[in-house]
Amino acid sequence: MGISDTYMGEIERAETNATHHVLEKIADVFEIPVGDLLQYTDILNKIKNPEILVEIIEILSSRSLEVQNDAKKMIEILLNGLDREAKLK
């Protein structure tokens, strides 16, 4: 994309903001509109450890869509169970 790995890492970890030009490059690589990159900014800013999310994405990226959907369902089931446990305490 013409940007350094260091700069990209800073963007991924929300340590710096990407310029519009860089966002366009990233969107081009993923073949999505720039707006799609910005859609989840508020949610991503709430993540305390974005490296974990990146690791999960890396794990799932080589898997089939069916496996990705199954993993999402398992995460939802796990988190719903943890929420119920927390309410009981």
Side-chain angles (χ1 to χ4, degrees):
M1 288 187 297
I3 62 173
S4 72
D5 291 343
T6 302
Y7 182 45
M8 188 64 203
E10 290 171 356
I11 294 168
E12 290 172 345
R13 293 185 300 277
E15 295 172 356
T16 190
N17 293 321
T19 65
H20 189 269
H21 180 70
V22 170
L23 289 175
E24 287 177 344
K25 287 182 177 186
I26 294 169
D28 285 345
V29 167
F30 291 106
E31 299 176 351
I32 60 172
V34 173
D36 286 2
L37 292 174
L38 304 175
Q39 182 176 2
Y40 298 103
T41 300
D42 290 338
I43 294 170
L44 293 174
N45 286 335
K46 294 177 184 176
I47 296 173
K48 294 179 178 111
N49 187 349
E51 289 83 13
I52 291 174
L53 183 57
V54 170
E55 289 177 25
I56 292 169
I57 292 168
E58 288 174 351
I59 291 167
L60 292 175
S61 66
S62 63
R63 309 299 174 136
S64 70
L65 184 57
E66 182 180 357
V67 170
Q68 291 176 15
N69 285 325
D70 288 346
K72 176 186 169 281
K73 289 175 189 172
M74 287 189 289
I75 291 169
E76 288 172 340
I77 290 168
L78 172 66
L79 294 178
N80 287 336
L82 292 173
D83 290 343
R84 280 193 291 277
E85 280 183 27
K87 287 179 185 178
L88 294 175
K89 290 181 179 184

